[in-house]
Amino acid sequence: MLLTLATALPAVAQSAGDNIRFALMPLESDEIPAEVATAIDGKLRQALNRTSALSDGESNALAVIPTLAVGEAVESEGLMQEVGRIKAELTLTAVNHIDGTVFFSSTIPLTGSAVGGKKSAMKAMATGIKPSDPVYVRFIRKSREKVSDHYATNCATILQRAQQLADSGHPDEAAACLGSVPAEVDCYETARMLLAELSGTPADTPPAAVSPDTVYVEREVPVPVPSPRQLRHRNLSQCQNRNLPPPLPPRQNRNSRLPSS
């Protein structure tokens, strides 16, 4: 009973969809410099990593697409230097980038101001993004819920779509569809089997067992050697316990002298 309780506790601590991860598409915008877009991408990667939602180097159909709409950009001359102010809206959209399904979208207002003009304000705007902001946690949570619900409702259709992609010569896209099926939906095991057939690897490959380190301690233990009298006494006792005739005395050595008459 204790083992069952200990095994069940981690499952209670996790919510549905905690294993769902997303690839992060790069931010593409003609309204901001490339280094500002790169800085915003870095902040978003940190935000997704904080919730273990970032998929790197994995075959995955799920993605987060960021878009940026720059609103008011003002440059004003101060007493000494030019000051730039900017307002923008960052929209994050969770999608299946293969079939175009949109799961959830959230728009986050951004602002920035800095001495040096509009470009400096844009850099300040990117620097001011906080990956720990609850708005990113909520976006990931809601996106995972929508993904889980979608796959639970459309399992058969998704598997059929993956099979069609594989049959039409698109194995990578088929693998991405199958690899995105959440573990908590009914068709997860079927998706794993199809993915294994597609990749040519066994469906259920148990992880290598990791045995704990074993320390062997060697030590010498003295073993007493019984004398001939002790051995004869032991044999005699065993014979008496088994109702056997007593053992014969040991034969004398041929070279031993006989007692003189």
Side-chain angles (χ1 to χ4, degrees):
M1 184 64 68
L2 181 60
L3 178 60
T4 304
L5 178 60
T7 306
L9 282 177
V12 175
Q14 294 182 346
S15 60
D18 280 353
N19 63 322
I20 297 175
R21 294 182 174 86
F22 302 86
L24 178 62
M25 299 300 185
L27 174 62
E28 298 179 357
S29 176
D30 296 332
E31 300 182 87
I32 58 176
E35 61 266 29
V36 175
T38 302
I40 294 176
D41 284 341
K43 292 288 187 175
L44 294 178
R45 292 180 67 87
Q46 294 178 33
L48 266 64
N49 265 327
R50 287 179 60 87
T51 53
S52 301
L54 182 63
S55 170
D56 268 338
E58 301 175 10
S59 181
N60 196 354
L62 305 178
V64 171
I65 300 178
T67 56
L68 187 71
V70 178
E72 182 182 2
V74 179
E75 291 181 342
S76 60
E77 294 184 1
L79 296 176
M80 300 295 294
Q81 292 179 316
E82 188 178 34
V83 177
R85 295 181 178 86
I86 188 172
K87 293 182 179 180
E89 288 185 341
L90 175 64
T91 301
L92 303 178
T93 307
V95 303
N96 182 318
H97 67 86
I98 293 179
D99 61 20
T101 302
V102 177
F103 302 108
F104 186 70
S105 182
S106 178
T107 299
I108 305 162
L110 301 178
T111 59
S113 62
V115 174
K118 183 170 65 176
K119 186 175 181 180
S120 297
M122 290 182 177
K123 292 181 179 179
M125 176 185 67
T127 305
I129 296 176
K130 297 181 179 179
S132 60
D133 195 315
V135 68
Y136 300 107
V137 177
R138 179 180 180 275
F139 168 75
I140 293 300
R141 185 182 72 251
K142 296 295 293 185
S143 297
R144 281 171 164 170
E145 291 174 359
K146 297 294 184 180
V147 169
S148 183
D149 293 342
H150 173 78
Y151 277 86
T153 305
N154 302 279
C155 262
T157 304
I158 293 168
L159 295 182
Q160 184 179 8
R161 172 62 175 163
Q163 188 65 57
Q164 291 173 351
L165 288 170
D167 294 340
S168 60
H170 299 86
D172 293 339
E173 294 182 0
C177 286
L178 295 172
S180 304
V181 177
E184 62 268 13
V185 301
D186 294 338
C187 63
Y188 174 71
E189 293 298 333
T190 304
R192 287 188 63 195
M193 293 176 61
L194 293 176
L195 183 60
E197 293 177 5
L198 189 63
S199 60
T201 57
D204 292 317
T205 303
V210 180
S211 58
D213 295 335
T214 303
V215 179
Y216 294 93
V217 179
E218 295 183 358
R219 62 177 181 174
E220 295 182 358
V221 179
V223 179
V225 179
S227 64
R229 177 176 295 181
Q230 291 175 332
L231 286 174
R232 175 170 174 80
H233 177 73
R234 182 187 302 172
N235 294 337
L236 181 61
S237 299
Q238 292 177 354
C239 292
Q240 291 176 349
N241 293 334
R242 299 179 184 179
N243 296 324
L244 297 176
L248 296 175
R251 299 178 60 183
Q252 294 181 345
N253 195 320
R254 292 180 180 179
N255 297 329
S256 61
R257 291 184 177 182
L258 295 174
S260 58
S261 56

